Amino acid sequence: MRIAYALLDPGIGVFGTKGASVHVQEVIRALRADGHEVSVFCTRTNDDVPSDLADLEVHRHRLPKGTGAERERAVVAASAAIAEEIAAGDFDLVYERYSLFSDVAARLTAPAAPGGRATPAAAAAGAVRAIPSILEVNAPLIDEQRHHRSLADEAGARAATHRQLRGASLVTCVSGAVAEWTLTEGADPARVVVTPNGVNTRRITPRPAVPATRPQTLPEKTPPTNAVPEGPVTVGFVGTLKPWHGTDLLLRAIARTDERLRLDVCGTGPQQPELEQLAARLGIADRVRFRGAVAPEQVPEVLHGIDIAAAPYPAGEHYFSPLKVYEYLAAGLPVVASAIGTIPELLGHGALGVLVEPGDVDALAAALDDLAADPACRARLAADAREAAVSEHDWQIRCRELLQRLEIDPVAAPALREVLL
């Protein structure tokens, strides 16, 4: 199929380094790996172009400089222009990442009325034929924007969201909590599915010393008694340094662990200066490495240098499907993570990693110490993690399932290339 991928969020570059950009790239890779032709329509690109996406067709609609209401109006205008550009092409599917003030998919997917004539919504959008669409919803953006940033025209944002949720052929949500939010905003339950995030298991692989299949001769874990690691053990964190990722909790936990444990922080964000100061106050500055921003192409190598991976989310609302945890699994790493949101299910309720109470620094430190002192347990968890990533969580599996849903659901999927008279 020819697929138009729409990304109008001005905060996400197609070729950026943060998690949202990685997510965009991996969905595109998965679709292309299955033979689909993908063209991207966006408002921001960034400069970290992976070599395997250098040939990607990208149409950028540049937004004028401005903030607040001015920027919001610019996204509205871009949405209309991009929808018109896609409609003029020969696309079989529109895949849009939900963004505030955009309604690209809804403009293009309005189904035909009885008799084959365009509905008023389709006519108003200037559509000449209906194009099936998938709307990917990763967060309740209206709530996020209001609480963490600024939202000048909330009524406009909500109206565009309602058009998207009601107009898309299929609404795919990263978690049950996000799906519930879409229903409260008017989505048709028959068109809403939950599709957790995934991982590219060909890009993210175990380091050579870690086997890709479960060892058959490893003993079951026996809790060590006053054991200490025989040498340095590297704990790793990959992600944006923002309060809701709990990196400060991880620093405090490292300060309470055996001194042989080191911390490697891959990523940057507004909290980095504060976290560096915290490490100094805790007396662990010499045990912590802050790498700063790292291009996605370099992340697999960073993961190869980690012995234990951490996802120390604090207590509170958690509607995410953490990309970092999927990458940890694919890298064949033992994981210590907060028992919050979707993480317990992802980690098999403890079968694929160690779960700790969110915000409990002592429990986090104890879990890290125990794993550091038990290499057999680490190896067993690592092998099981990799196996689960490959068999259950690969991005190609996720994308294939979505396309299959679209093709077999007569309610959610208008016929391909349906001409509106």
Side-chain angles (χ1 to χ4, degrees), residues 14 60 67 82 98 127 176 202 210 289 292 364 409 416:
V14 176
R60 182 182 178 186
T67 58
I82 287 175
Y98 165 57
R202 288 153 301 286
V210 179
R289 177 182 183 182
L364 179 57
D409 187 347
L416 289 175

Side-chain angles (χ1 to χ4, degrees), residues 61-86:
H61 186 105
R62 293 181 180 272
L63 299 181
K65 293 183 179 180
T67 58
E70 183 179 2
R71 175 55 64 90
E72 294 171 2
R73 289 193 295 271
V75 174
V76 172
S79 177
I82 287 175
E84 184 176 351
E85 188 175 358
I86 294 173

Side-chain angles (χ1 to χ4, degrees), residues 249-271:
L249 301 173
L250 182 56
L251 287 172
R252 296 181 190 281
I254 289 293
R256 304 180 192 185
T257 60
D258 185 275
E259 62 181 11
R260 294 180 180 86
L261 272 68
R262 301 288 188 267
L263 177 60
D264 192 344
V265 179
C266 176
T268 190
Q271 264 200 315

Side-chain angles (χ1 to χ4, degrees), residues 36-225:
H36 302 296
E37 182 182 339
V38 181
S39 299
V40 176
F41 297 81
C42 65
T43 59
R44 180 175 175 181
T45 53
N46 286 60
D47 301 322
D48 295 290
V49 183
S51 59
D52 65 325
L53 295 179
D55 64 334
L56 181 65
E57 181 181 332
V58 178
H59 304 261
R60 182 182 178 186
H61 186 105
R62 293 181 180 272
L63 299 181
K65 293 183 179 180
T67 58
E70 183 179 2
R71 175 55 64 90
E72 294 171 2
R73 289 193 295 271
V75 174
V76 172
S79 177
I82 287 175
E84 184 176 351
E85 188 175 358
I86 294 173
D90 189 27
F91 292 99
D92 303 305
L93 174 71
V94 179
Y95 188 112
E96 180 168 11
R97 182 181 173 110
Y98 165 57
S99 305
L100 290 177
F101 299 100
S102 173
D103 61 355
V104 170
R107 287 172 178 268
L108 297 166
T109 306
R117 295 191 176 276
T119 62
V128 294
R129 64 180 176 87
I131 305 175
S133 64
I134 296 174
L135 180 68
E136 175 193 282
V137 185
N138 297 283
L141 291 184
I142 294 174
D143 299 343
E144 279 194 355
Q145 192 76 9
R146 187 196 312 116
H147 293 152
H148 301 295
R149 304 176 192 91
S150 64
L151 187 58
D153 182 11
E154 182 172 338
R158 196 171 295 279
T161 294
H162 289 173
R163 288 194 297 274
Q164 285 282 68
L165 294 176
R166 294 167 182 168
S169 305
L170 192 68
V171 177
T172 175
C173 305
V174 294
S175 68
V178 171
E180 287 295 327
W181 179 79
T182 67
L183 296 179
T184 65
E185 295 294 336
D188 180 353
R191 301 186 184 200
V192 175
V193 298
V194 175
T195 307
N197 280 330
V199 64
N200 184 337
T201 58
R202 288 153 301 286
R203 187 177 74 87
I204 306 290
T205 60
R207 61 187 175 195
V210 179
T213 57
R214 179 187 176 120
Q216 299 300 314
T217 59
L218 288 177
E220 292 298 313
K221 177 183 176 182
T222 54
T225 304

